[in-house]
Amino acid sequence: MALLELLGMGQKGWGAYLLLATVTTLAVTATALAIGAVLGTAIAAAKLSHSRSLRFVGHVYTTVFRGVPELLIIYLIYFGGSSGITAIGQWLGYDGFLGLPSFAAGALAVGIISGAYQAEVFRGAYHAIPRGEIEAALAIGMNRGLRFRRIIMPQVLRFAIPGLGNVWQLSLKDSALVSVTGLVELMRASQIASGSTRQYFLFYIVGGALYLVLTSLSDRVFNGAERRANRSMSGATIGRA
Amino acid sequence: MPGVTRLSVRNLRKSFGTHEVLKGISLDAQDGDVISLLGASGSGKSTFLRCINLLETPSDGEVWVDSEQIRMIHSKTGSKPASRRQVDHIRSELGMVFQGFNLWSHMTILQNVIEGPLHVLKRPKADCIADAEELLAKVGIADKRHAYPAHLSGGQQQRAAIARALAMKPKVMLFDEPTSALDPELVGEVLRVMRALAEEGMTMLVVTHEMSFARNVSNRVVFMREGVIDSSGSPDDMFGVGASPAFRQFIGHFGNQQ
Amino acid sequence: MDFAFLSSTMVTLIKAVPTTLILFSLSILSGALLALVITAMRVSGNWFLTGFAKAYIFVFRGSPLLIQMFLVFYGLGQFGVIRYSFLWPFLREPMVCAVLSLALCTAGYSAEIFRGGIRAVSTKEIEAARSVGMSGFLLVRRIIAPIAFRHALPAYSTEIVLMMKSTALASLVTVWEVTGVAQRLISQTYRTMEVFLCAALIYLVLNFIILQAMSLLEYSLSRHRRPYAAPLRA
């Protein structure tokens, strides 16, 4: 079968190429999720703060980065970042065009978007903590730092797991758009393979199938994590003598 | 040390917006006092309790704990404590038991009990655990120490919450309707623990609807009505002939259930 | 700030808004119709139809829209059957391909949302309808659908905003909607920030209008949850 040969690991096959690109997709998404976690925490904190101007900043951030097409944000970071770096290069005496590395630009762009969604997830998770448990922390004399570290953070993480699972899926699919920067992740690899073999249908189907494998596997991971985190919540009789 | 004033509240006021809930309350608790705060819902008794450890910020008045005054700043825009650190310190000296237990759901019972001593008081972990196990045995749930709050009955959770408050070795214990959220058959086990505590000489301030507790365990009964103290005195006086008409009417609602 | 540049950019971008709106409205309309079919299959009780609907939803929600769009745009033309069929003059059009893949994709997401709405209809309400003799299509049309639609509306509003953003991908199959024109301007002028701000503003305004319209619809459909106000007598 000629088609199978195309997908094989051999010299004529694109199998290894696609698998490597799948790993790149996972790496971009994971980096984006980490960047988004930092941004999302800061934005959620801003939205929950007592300061009116901080709340406004948080509101603008989530409105813009959830409301504007992902593609446009990728252009902003990739082209904007490159012009920025080129300007710095000229200032340092280098005359050519300097491009932002596509991996960094892609992860940053998807991370910024992911941060907007994560901020909403964290904010929701914070509101899910029973008020009484925070009052109990106050009543026992915990200061702000201790309250955050011992009572709020662990519970926010637990309540955020399902939402973070959704954001991960979203970012995984958004990462396909990073292909416009030339980064050879799964989408771009499918494009290159299909273009050079003229087997468009085959390679887009295979690329799509690999995405389905990624999304359904990560679904399982997050469901497992949710079950683990909720052990203390279920009515199950764990550890009962 | 009988005769030592553990808690002193002077002319405490609290308003929510334009609505004044507490209209100048004064109260002293000597060492070993067990004071029951009674009153209809809306009389301000829970708000009063929550003002003592600043879960609500009093609009005016003074709170002294063991002759240390909580410093407040009063201004036109409202009141706030002068020092967060002092508030945290005072709170660590006052044990609070809530109506809804408020155990931290992500921690086991033992972790709940050692959390305060370990992280707020920064005591050695081994000591904290030894103390906690003793307290859990005392409130009768030693076997539940590795269970999570969600796995316990309401009565067990409330006893765990009492152990959590006691682990801080508080100077005064504040109880905010500790049995109101419990099924009737679970009330007894919590009241027994509270009674034992009173007999050991713990200074306690208890907002409650349990007339038997007010009558038989406390040495002073304070009846609040519409934001002021209507009357107060020993249980014998209050439940005897000297009761105020309002208090008599109030206890009338409870019938002769005791 | 270079206002001359900003305003000329804005004018150029606004000229592309009709294309974005056509993409949006055609794909929302056909996507919603397809979603109704998929939802009906999903709740049909027939193992084959249910299985098909499940697979459809899994595939279109689990893979990126871009790869679906490229599959339609580049993949279909590979087959002689399609190339020489009467459909080819349509399927050759980037606009048709873009709308087709947007509609196929949103149908997967919307079907899941509609099913959530149906599951929120209480069995008591259905029993009550059966007790007055309703069944079949009448039951669906008069009782289940109106209640399910009200439940599904908030989530569906979110999906519609996501679709507005998704129309941007059509630029990658050469449909010159707002994002595509913005990208062209950026690569011509290298003034990324200004172009981005103009394009972002357009999308935010469009989203705002959509959300206002949806909440108006939600409000007009939620009279039963508002406090009772006696009708005014003429």
Side-chain angles (χ1 to χ4, degrees):
Chain A
M1 276 288 287
L3 287 185
L4 274 183
E5 207 170 296
L6 280 177
L7 294 176
M9 296 291 173
Q11 274 203 319
K12 276 200 217 155
W14 291 85
Y17 187 71
L18 287 175
L19 284 182
L20 192 67
T22 309
V23 174
T24 308
T25 284
L26 277 177
V28 173
T29 311
T31 314
L33 204 77
I35 294 171
V38 175
L39 290 172
T41 309
I43 296 298
K47 289 187 99 162
L48 290 167
S49 86
H50 293 293
S51 148
R52 187 184 283 251
S53 45
L54 276 180
R55 282 205 304 272
F56 179 74
V57 169
H59 184 70
V60 168
Y61 184 97
T62 49
T63 308
V64 169
F65 291 111
R66 291 188 310 156
V68 169
E70 298 82 2
L71 202 52
L72 207 53
I73 292 159
I74 291 171
Y75 292 146
L76 172 75
I77 302 303
Y78 184 59
F79 291 113
S82 298
S83 339
I85 287 190
T86 307
I88 294 171
Q90 275 166 356
W91 185 66
L92 292 173
Y94 178 83
D95 273 345
F97 173 82
L98 285 172
L100 192 60
S102 52
F103 186 94
L108 184 59
V110 178
I112 286 171
I113 300 163
S114 163
Y117 287 97
Q118 286 189 51
E120 296 297 288
V121 169
F122 291 143
R123 197 168 64 108
Y126 176 79
H127 285 304
I129 303 175
R131 290 300 88 182
E133 292 188 25
I134 294 174
E135 276 198 347
L138 287 169
I140 216 160
M142 287 193 185
N143 60 33
R144 192 189 286 243
L146 210 48
R147 244 157 35 223
F148 182 76
R149 192 160 55 82
R150 301 290 308 167
I151 308 298
I152 296 173
M153 208 51 203
Q155 302 228 55
V156 162
L157 282 181
R158 183 181 67 186
F159 289 124
I161 290 174
L164 285 181
N166 290 337
V167 175
W168 164 265
Q169 303 281 30
L170 212 64
S171 300
L172 200 57
K173 286 176 267 176
D174 283 349
S175 78
L177 303 182
V178 173
S179 60
V180 298
T181 67
L183 179 71
V184 186
E185 41 63 73
L186 184 48
M187 178 71 217
R188 182 81 188 135
S190 314
Q191 247 176 305
I192 292 172
S194 58
S196 37
T197 58
R198 304 263 146 211
Q199 292 290 340
Y200 295 102
F201 198 80
L202 174 74
F203 279 106
Y204 286 133
I205 288 281
V206 170
L210 284 171
Y211 275 111
L212 287 178
V213 170
L214 290 184
T215 47
S216 42
L217 277 184
S218 29
D219 224 23
R220 284 201 187 172
V221 172
F222 275 99
N223 284 340
E226 196 183 336
R227 262 198 306 279
R228 277 178 62 90
N230 282 344
R231 268 181 321 190
S232 68
M233 296 300 284
S234 64
T237 54
I238 303 164
R240 187 166 283 188
Chain B
M1 285 184 289
V4 175
T5 305
R6 288 294 182 205
L7 177 74
S8 178
V9 182
R10 295 271 140 262
N11 199 29
L12 191 94
R13 291 175 180 275
K14 172 69 182 172
S15 304
F16 292 105
T18 55
H19 178 55
E20 193 167 40
V21 184
L22 299 176
K23 301 167 184 166
I25 307 264
S26 298
L27 186 82
D28 284 303
Q30 315 293 326
D31 194 73
D33 269 352
V34 177
I35 302 174
S36 289
L37 281 166
L38 305 180
S41 61
S43 60
K45 54 196 193 306
S46 280
T47 307
F48 173 60
L49 206 66
R50 292 166 59 84
C51 278
I52 293 173
N53 66 357
L54 269 85
L55 286 180
E56 305 284 355
T57 314
S59 313
D60 201 6
E62 295 172 5
V63 177
W64 300 69
V65 177
D66 235 12
S67 55
E68 179 185 355
Q69 188 187 354
I70 305 181
R71 298 189 303 278
M72 301 290 295
I73 300 171
H74 300 289
S75 69
K76 283 228 171 63
T77 52
S79 306
K80 62 174 187 181
S83 157
R84 281 181 190 279
R85 288 188 61 166
Q86 192 204 17
V87 171
D88 290 338
H89 172 69
I90 295 274
R91 281 172 176 162
S92 73
E93 296 183 333
L94 297 169
M96 175 97 169
V97 175
F98 299 88
Q99 182 178 351
F101 331 133
N102 297 356
L103 291 169
W104 297 305
S105 51
H106 61 301
M107 297 179 183
T108 63
I109 296 306
L110 184 66
Q111 286 168 339
N112 262 281
V113 177
I114 64 172
E115 181 68 20
L118 188 60
H119 292 282
V120 177
L121 304 179
K122 300 194 168 62
R123 293 179 46 215
K125 188 165 185 177
D127 295 3
C128 296
I129 293 177
D131 276 6
E133 303 213 312
E134 200 176 306
L135 284 169
L136 287 173
K138 190 162 136 187
V139 299
I141 49 170
D143 56 326
K144 303 291 184 210
R145 63 185 177 276
H146 295 307
Y148 286 99
H151 303 149
L152 266 56
S153 74
Q156 291 169 331
Q157 287 192 49
Q158 193 59 299
R159 286 185 280 154
I162 293 172
R164 175 175 69 177
L166 289 174
M168 298 293 285
K169 303 197 193 313
K171 292 176 172 159
V172 180
M173 285 283 282
L174 309 173
F175 292 84
D176 187 5
E177 305 202 23
T179 56
S180 298
L182 296 175
D183 293 336
E185 72 270 22
L186 302 176
V187 169
E189 59 191 60
V190 172
L191 288 181
R192 267 195 298 281
V193 168
M194 289 169 63
R195 178 176 206 136
L197 215 51
E199 282 163 2
E200 283 173 23
M202 174 61 76
T203 313
M204 295 161 67
L205 206 55
V206 185
V207 170
T208 186
H209 292 292
E210 292 296 328
M211 289 305 146
S212 66
F213 182 89
R215 201 168 193 161
N216 304 324
V217 183
S218 53
N219 66 341
R220 191 134 57 94
V221 174
V222 173
F223 175 57
M224 284 180 64
R225 199 167 139 251
E226 292 168 3
V228 293
I229 293 180
D230 175 90
S231 50
S232 71
S234 72
D236 287 345
D237 289 345
M238 289 293 283
F239 289 93
V241 283
S244 81
F247 185 62
R248 208 172 297 156
Q249 196 192 2
F250 171 73
I251 51 175
H253 288 303
F254 288 84
N256 292 322
Q257 49 185 344
Q258 277 81 46
Chain C
M1 274 274 168
D2 182 350
F3 284 103
F5 179 74
L6 280 179
S7 62
S8 79
T9 302
M10 205 63 189
V11 169
T12 317
L13 289 177
I14 284 176
K15 280 184 190 150
V17 167
T19 313
T20 291
L21 287 180
I22 290 170
L23 279 167
F24 172 74
S25 44
L26 285 182
S27 52
I28 285 289
L29 272 177
S30 39
L33 289 177
L34 185 55
L36 286 178
V37 177
I38 304 286
T39 310
M41 289 170 137
R42 180 71 180 78
V43 299
S44 66
N46 174 313
W47 69 268
F48 178 77
L49 294 179
T50 304
F52 177 83
K54 270 188 182 171
Y56 183 95
I57 292 167
F58 171 70
V59 166
F60 283 94
R61 290 176 77 215
S63 61
L65 171 59
L66 188 58
I67 212 162
Q68 298 165 20
M69 200 177 272
F70 277 21
L71 187 63
V72 170
F73 188 67
Y74 296 105
L76 290 184
Q78 202 184 319
F79 298 103
V81 196
I82 293 170
R83 241 191 144 90
Y84 296 107
S85 76
F86 70 98
L87 285 172
W88 184 241
F90 298 102
L91 287 177
R92 212 169 46 181
E93 285 298 319
M95 185 63 153
V96 175
C97 287
V99 169
L100 184 61
S101 48
L102 283 168
L104 287 171
C105 184
T106 187
Y109 287 92
S110 307
E112 231 4 45
I113 292 170
F114 293 165
R115 188 172 72 101
I118 290 174
R119 279 167 40 145
V121 183
S122 78
T123 48
K124 285 178 193 154
E125 287 170 301
I126 296 175
E127 270 174 15
R130 287 198 192 285
S131 75
V132 297
M134 282 192 189
S135 66
F137 190 62
L138 186 68
L139 177 66
V140 171
R141 187 169 61 87
R142 297 295 310 160
I143 307 297
I144 297 177
I147 298 173
F149 186 66
R150 284 171 171 82
H151 282 296
L153 210 49
Y156 192 58
S157 305
T158 312
E159 169 61 15
I160 286 182
V161 169
L162 289 177
M163 275 304 282
M164 174 55 82
K165 297 201 296 172
S166 297
T167 58
L169 298 200
S171 65
L172 298 177
V173 294
T174 70
V175 177
W176 292 105
E177 46 63 71
V178 176
T179 298
V181 173
Q183 193 267 332
R184 196 166 56 186
L185 285 175
I186 288 172
S187 52
Q188 284 165 0
T189 62
Y190 285 101
R191 300 171 79 161
T192 316
M193 200 54 183
E194 286 104 319
V195 178
F196 173 81
L197 284 178
C198 292
L201 188 65
I202 290 177
Y203 281 105
L204 291 178
V205 168
L206 290 176
N207 289 344
F208 181 76
I209 295 171
I210 294 169
L211 288 175
Q212 288 301 308
M214 292 306 280
S215 63
L216 209 64
L217 181 62
E218 223 172 293
Y219 182 77
S220 67
L221 289 178
S222 67
R223 258 209 330 230
H224 58 292
R225 267 186 268 145
R226 291 204 293 274
Y228 177 74
L232 290 173
R233 283 263 174 98

